Amino acid sequence: MYALVDCNNFYASCERVFQPKLVGKPIVILSNNDGCIISRSDEAKALGIPMGAPEFKVRKELKEKGIHVFSSNYPLYGDLSHRVMKILEGFTPHVEPYSIDEAFMNFDGVIVDDFHDYGIQMKTRIMKWLSIPVCVGIAETKALSKVANKIARKFPEQTKGVHVIDTEEKRIKALKWTKIEEVWGIGFRLKKKMKAKNINSAYDFTLPQHEGFIKMVMGVTGLRLKMELEGKSMLKLDDPTEDKKSIAITRMFKNKLTDFNEIKERVSTFASVCAEKLRKQNSCCNSIIVLLIKAENFEDRRRRMYSSEMVTLPFATNSTLTISNAAVTLLKKLYEEGERYSKAGVIVTGIIPANQKQFHLFEDENPKHLKLMQVIDKFHAKTGERKIRLGNQDLQHTWKMKQDFLSKKRTTDFNEILEIKC
């Protein structure tokens, strides 16, 4: 059996953990640079606040309706997400984090007499230890556990936040209730194609007369999804310890930038974080890509907005110095004087385990880099902040983002830890 555990309105719930006075109050969370609404509490949804709306367009409405607004506090959300996953590992060792607020679980080798009761135990423990509300869907496959989770979320009073699909009758009833656009893996374009073929529900998707059409439109992926919805497990848990194939750091600038040195500082910072992530998973990269995006110019539609450059290094590396220098060299090729830029990014790819790095006789990295990086990582792990930086980085900011509504990092920064007066 599989389970999908999904945190309810996760970002909003995280804000409520240390501000319980906000329970039951409408909350919205904004994206990077306080741009758009990316998360809403149920109360905010009920007031008609649209998902993805630019903050400046609904600013007046948010104020009039008394909605609490927060900037994205990713350190807090990431830490609470990690704590949720650790609690789930107490119920089974087979846990696959699917996103920051979702995880699949497999109960192979775990003796469970009553899955509904087991789901209630998960939900209760997470609520008691973290004050994060969750819903649990349990079924024979990952796709069906997604369906079960939606039912648990839709009918909290009847299900108590936990729904188990463990009979054929429950499976068919659940599939007939699930709209085709709510099926895992069916996006907007596929929804239109499915409805044109009179496939309006998950149950319609499993009917044998549609198999040929599904194979033509979705290929093997569609057939696997069909079998999953039929109760035949085709999708196993991914290994959460598997290293990433590429690492990307991309950000919108707080303001449109024209000065090369300001853009260079951002690109150097992005490259440094990529190098840090490589070392954290004990890997090296062979190639580096730099992206640069120009600010919108409504008068010149023919202008190319997006540009990128890539370099393959003569040796694999995870050194901040090497990766940053290579990224800045690429930036020099992309930068056009007089242009206004809104976003940049650095991607490292061709990733290999550090212990498989090939050494070269005539051209290799300065061996002092390895010792230097170890000292820097040890210091940052101890302090929790990136205090040691390259000379071309801004010593005052990690990301230059607009965060006018940022809450405190209660669990990741000693300077902002919760104070209790007794």
Side-chain angles (χ1 to χ4, degrees):
M1 295 289 279
Y2 289 86
L4 177 69
V5 179
D6 183 15
C7 302
N8 301 343
N9 306 317
F10 182 60
Y11 290 176
S13 296
C14 289
E15 297 294 349
R16 286 169 169 164
V17 169
F18 296 99
Q19 301 183 71
K21 64 183 180 181
L22 297 177
V23 174
K25 303 289 179 65
I27 297 173
V28 297
I29 312 297
L30 304 179
S31 62
N32 291 340
N33 291 315
D34 292 345
C36 302
I37 294 173
I38 58 171
S39 180
R40 305 164 296 166
S41 67
D42 289 335
E43 296 79 9
K45 294 175 187 176
L47 291 173
I49 301 301
M51 186 69 161
E55 186 271 339
F56 74 91
K57 286 190 175 181
V58 294
R59 186 177 299 159
K60 184 178 179 182
E61 185 180 0
L62 294 172
K63 189 174 182 179
E64 289 175 348
K65 294 182 176 179
I67 297 173
H68 299 267
V69 181
F70 290 94
S71 303
S72 296
N73 190 342
Y74 294 121
L76 176 66
Y77 306 156
D79 183 63
L80 290 177
S81 172
H82 176 72
R83 293 173 188 235
V84 170
M85 302 305 166
K86 284 298 180 184
I87 291 174
L88 295 179
E89 289 174 4
F91 291 91
T92 174
H94 313 298
V95 178
E96 176 201 332
Y98 182 63
S99 67
I100 194 170
D101 62 345
E102 288 181 282
F104 283 107
M105 306 169 69
N106 181 284
F107 300 104
D108 289 349
V110 180
I111 300 174
V112 181
D113 295 326
D114 186 334
F115 277 104
H116 188 271
D117 179 66
Y118 208 55
I120 293 292
Q121 290 180 43
M122 293 183 217
K123 180 179 170 66
T124 303
R125 186 177 299 180
I126 293 171
M127 189 65 190
K128 184 177 180 180
W129 291 7
L130 295 179
S131 299
I132 299 287
V134 304
C135 286
V136 183
I138 302 175
E140 291 183 327
T141 71
K142 291 174 78 172
L144 281 176
S145 69
K146 271 268 191 182
V147 174
N149 186 279
K150 287 184 181 294
I151 294 173
R153 183 83 168 90
K154 184 71 174 179
F155 305 103
E157 293 183 4
Q158 297 91 321
T159 64
K160 297 182 181 178
V162 179
H163 185 64
V164 182
I165 299 176
D166 53 1
T167 66
E168 186 67 5
E169 182 183 357
K170 285 184 179 181
R171 183 185 72 85
I172 293 174
K173 185 178 180 180
L175 294 184
K176 288 183 176 180
W177 173 82
T178 305
K179 298 176 182 178
I180 188 62
E181 59 266 32
E182 295 178 350
V183 174
W184 188 27
I186 303 294
F188 176 74
R189 292 183 179 179
L190 281 175
K191 177 193 80 170
K192 293 175 68 176
K193 292 179 180 180
M194 295 296 166
K195 290 197 170 184
K197 280 288 183 179
N198 204 30
I199 302 175
N200 298 306
S201 68
Y203 179 74
D204 296 335
F205 189 86
T206 63
L207 296 178
Q209 63 263 35
H210 296 136
E211 185 171 321
F213 172 74
I214 291 169
K215 183 178 181 180
M216 179 184 70
V217 174
M218 299 180 65
V220 176
T221 302
L223 295 180
R224 284 178 181 166
L225 177 57
K226 178 178 179 294
M227 295 177 75
E228 282 267 319
L229 294 174
E230 291 171 344
K232 303 166 188 172
S233 181
M234 302 297 295
L235 305 173
K236 306 302 179 184
L237 292 189
D238 293 335
D239 183 4
T241 63
E242 186 177 331
D243 291 341
K244 296 178 180 178
K245 303 303 180 186
S246 64
I247 295 172
I249 303 294
T250 62
R251 292 290 187 276
M252 296 288 292
F253 301 139
K254 182 177 180 180
N255 301 305
K256 305 296 186 291
L257 300 181
T258 57
D259 183 74
F260 174 78
N261 288 325
E262 290 187 13
I263 300 172
K264 182 177 74 171
E265 189 279 328
R266 292 291 81 204
V267 168
S268 180
T269 298
F270 300 161
S272 299
V273 178
C274 285
E276 183 181 314
K277 288 178 178 289
L278 281 171
R279 296 194 296 272
K280 193 171 183 180
Q281 70 173 34
N282 198 29
S283 298
C284 294
C285 73
N286 283 291
S287 300
I288 300 167
I289 302 169
V290 172
L291 315 173
L292 198 57
I293 298 176
K294 298 174 183 176
E296 189 75 46
N297 186 335
F298 297 101
E299 296 178 358
D300 186 2
R301 292 290 185 178
R302 297 169 297 176
R303 187 181 62 150
R304 187 182 178 194
M305 299 290 297
Y306 166 94
S307 56
S308 66
E309 284 282 347
M310 175 178 175
V311 64
T312 298
L313 302 171
F315 46 79
T317 183
N318 57 20
S319 165
T320 296
L321 297 171
T322 302
I323 294 174
S324 177
N325 287 338
V328 170
T329 300
L330 293 175
L331 176 64
K332 291 177 181 178
K333 298 179 181 180
L334 296 172
Y335 175 77
E336 298 176 28
E337 193 166 351
E339 283 286 357
R340 298 167 68 242
Y341 294 95
S342 61
K343 185 176 182 180
V346 176
I347 302 172
V348 294
T349 186
I351 294 177
I352 61 170
N355 59 10
Q356 294 180 16
K357 176 181 176 180
Q358 296 279 336
F359 290 91
H360 296 262
L361 182 61
F362 300 107
E363 187 175 16
D364 212 335
E365 195 167 61
N366 188 329
K368 293 181 180 179
H369 284 205
L370 177 61
K371 288 289 185 184
L372 178 61
M373 295 304 114
Q374 288 174 345
V375 172
I376 291 174
D377 290 342
K378 185 177 180 180
F379 179 80
H380 288 170
K382 185 177 181 179
T383 62
E385 297 184 66
R386 297 187 181 98
K387 291 293 187 181
I388 302 176
R389 304 182 192 175
L390 302 181
N392 60 6
Q393 289 181 254
D394 189 322
L395 300 179
Q396 302 302 318
H397 300 91
T398 301
W399 308 118
K400 287 186 175 179
M401 287 198 299
K402 180 182 177 184
Q403 293 180 304
D404 293 339
F405 312 100
L406 186 65
S407 57
K408 294 186 181 295
K409 306 177 186 70
R410 296 295 192 185
T411 64
T412 59
D413 188 336
F414 274 109
N415 295 320
E416 298 183 4
I417 198 168
L418 186 67
E419 295 181 7
I420 301 176
K421 296 181 181 181
C422 300

